[in-house]
Amino acid sequence: MSHMEPIPETLTQTRTYTNPVYKGYFADPFVWKHQDIYYAIGTGAAEAQGQIDEIADATSTDSANNLRVFPLLRSFDFLNWHFVGNALKRPDPALGDRFWAPEVAYSEGKFYLYYSVGHEDKNHQLRVATSDTPLGPYEDVGEPLVDPNSCPFAIDPHPFRDNDGQWYLFYARDFLDTEGGMRAGTALYVDRLESMTKLSGFGKTVLRARSDWQRFLANRLMYGEIFDWHTLEGPCVRKHEGRYYCFYSGGRWETENYGVDYGVADNVMGPYSDAGNETGPRVLRSLPGHVLGPGHNSIVLAPDHKTEYIIYHAWGINMAARQMCMDKLIWTLDGPRCNGPTWTPQTITEKV
């Protein structure tokens, strides 16, 4: 009887990870892939607490690296992340000492780092810096993307490239009107990028807060008045089956009410609708006793080139630090959902 060779099967291997995937303080995580290497950039403890100067004074004699902002991580396998340095050469200290929510875009051989800088939680402006390599150093181009005189608070820039190659910048800014049931507060906006460092100036509102779970603080003193302040922030756009999904985080980032929801549109500039979220965020929300305040997400493909993962930060139950987590993004008939937040071992299956 002749020996029959078995039909070869696609070799796969299963690996596991447990959130958080990086032990250090790493908020607002943005992950991207370049030449088969994964990179992550985020808001570190010093950036969040306004301690850039103190770190510069206290660390080694390498003054060039002391004055760099935003921690960078690198991973060769998507699961193990290691700190590789800080990304941004600090711009003019007069701009402020709070640096928030960096994201990186790659276009025509250059890397562009979008971020906000300001004083405490006021007067944040959007900036962009450039580098020839993903790890930097990134150098600020020298002027804000949005005029601080007409927009005194702008944060969380998210560059998005449409299929035709056109880039757009989504970000969060303040709105004080309450027409049509909208709530005063921080909400989402989009503008077309004329170049990677210049906006068209003809932007549109993406989404406004309209639900109680999006409340940041009642009776908040802002712009010389008292407001019932609501917040939508951390936009992240994904095109799926011809429609545009703008993920965002709503509520107050220090609380368990914070979570991830989304709006959907047929056109990149809108109009967007997040109808259906009135009782709370539909993609990620707290699981009391395990994970609190999951939010400010980015989305990236796993090494299998097809499975999407939502990368986000979350607090542990002791609220000691915001740390980077990831879970599978699932597209359902009701829209995008997530198998998370998780805190137990999760498996990733991939081709060998």
Side-chain angles (χ1 to χ4, degrees):
M1 187 172 168
S2 63
H3 175 66
M4 297 281 289
E5 289 292 328
I7 298 172
E9 295 181 10
T10 301
L11 292 175
T12 61
Q13 67 175 3
T14 301
R15 296 183 298 150
T16 64
Y17 72 90
T18 304
N19 284 322
V21 293
Y22 178 68
K23 299 308 179 191
Y25 189 111
F26 202 82
D28 315 323
F30 177 78
V31 171
W32 80 102
K33 190 178 184 182
H34 183 71
Q35 296 179 346
D36 287 329
I37 298 172
Y38 288 94
Y39 299 91
I41 191 168
T43 305
E47 289 80 8
Q49 295 162 11
Q51 295 177 339
I52 298 296
D53 293 321
E54 287 85 342
I55 285 186
D57 294 337
T59 52
S60 71
T61 55
D62 176 12
S63 59
N65 199 49
N66 291 344
L67 290 174
R68 286 195 205 162
V69 182
F70 295 127
L72 272 166
L73 311 180
R74 182 171 60 191
S75 175
F76 298 104
D77 64 1
F78 192 55
L79 300 185
N80 296 287
W81 297 87
H82 301 284
F83 175 74
V84 286
N86 289 339
L88 170 71
K89 288 184 181 178
R90 186 179 182 182
D92 183 354
L95 294 172
D97 56 12
R98 303 289 173 110
F99 293 81
W100 292 349
E103 294 204 9
V104 172
Y106 178 69
S107 178
E108 297 181 352
K110 252 196 183 343
F111 297 87
Y112 297 85
L113 191 167
Y114 299 86
Y115 68 99
S116 81
V117 58
H119 301 272
E120 297 186 352
D121 62 352
K122 306 287 193 299
N123 302 114
H124 269 252
Q125 60 175 258
L126 297 185
R127 313 277 302 187
V128 60
T130 64
S131 172
D132 293 326
T133 68
L135 294 179
Y138 291 82
E139 189 138 6
D140 188 271
V141 302
E143 56 187 1
L145 282 161
V146 180
D147 183 0
N149 293 315
S150 59
C151 178
F153 184 80
I155 60 170
D156 297 355
H158 169 69
F160 169 75
R161 182 181 183 270
D162 207 349
N163 294 3
D164 61 1
Q166 177 63 55
W167 286 89
Y168 299 84
L169 193 73
F170 289 75
Y171 62 96
R173 61 188 290 169
D174 288 349
F175 297 84
L176 304 183
D177 69 281
T178 55
E179 295 172 15
M182 300 301 173
R183 314 281 178 98
T186 306
L188 307 178
Y189 200 76
V190 60
D191 198 352
R192 185 174 58 83
L193 281 160
E194 288 186 354
S195 71
M196 297 304 285
T197 60
K198 182 174 171 40
L199 290 168
S200 79
F202 298 98
K204 288 188 175 180
T205 302
V206 173
L207 289 167
R208 292 283 305 273
R210 55 185 185 81
S211 297
D212 289 347
W213 71 268
Q214 298 162 338
R215 180 173 287 113
F216 182 90
L217 185 65
N219 301 316
R220 188 184 191 194
L221 177 62
M222 296 291 287
Y223 302 97
E225 296 182 53
I226 300 294
F227 292 95
D228 184 13
W229 197 261
H230 291 64
T231 293
L232 308 184
E233 61 188 11
C236 170
V237 178
R238 164 80 171 85
K239 194 172 184 180
H240 179 75
E241 296 182 352
R243 306 190 81 197
Y244 299 85
Y245 292 81
C246 181
F247 294 76
Y248 66 85
S249 298
R252 183 170 183 139
W253 61 276
E254 303 108 322
T255 71
E256 63 181 47
N257 294 331
Y258 197 64
V260 175
D261 195 68
Y262 64 93
V264 62
D266 294 319
N267 186 291
V268 66
M269 295 287 284
Y272 285 82
S273 169
D274 61 354
N277 70 356
E278 291 75 19
T279 58
R282 294 168 290 181
V283 181
L284 283 170
R285 61 171 72 191
S286 292
L287 293 172
H290 297 288
V291 182
L292 300 177
H296 205 115
N297 72 285
S298 55
I299 296 170
V300 70
L301 284 176
D304 66 2
H305 302 294
K306 62 180 182 181
T307 307
E308 290 177 88
Y309 275 79
I310 184 166
I311 316 290
Y312 60 96
H313 71 235
W315 299 93
I317 53 173
N318 59 0
M319 298 285 282
R322 291 178 290 172
Q323 294 175 289
M324 185 167 82
C325 302
M326 64 185 202
D327 282 301
K328 204 174 290 186
L329 182 64
I330 308 295
W331 293 93
T332 76
L333 293 176
D334 294 323
R337 299 293 186 267
C338 180
N339 283 355
T342 67
W343 67 95
T344 59
Q346 304 297 305
T347 59
I348 287 185
T349 301
E350 57 190 39
K351 293 177 183 178
V352 177

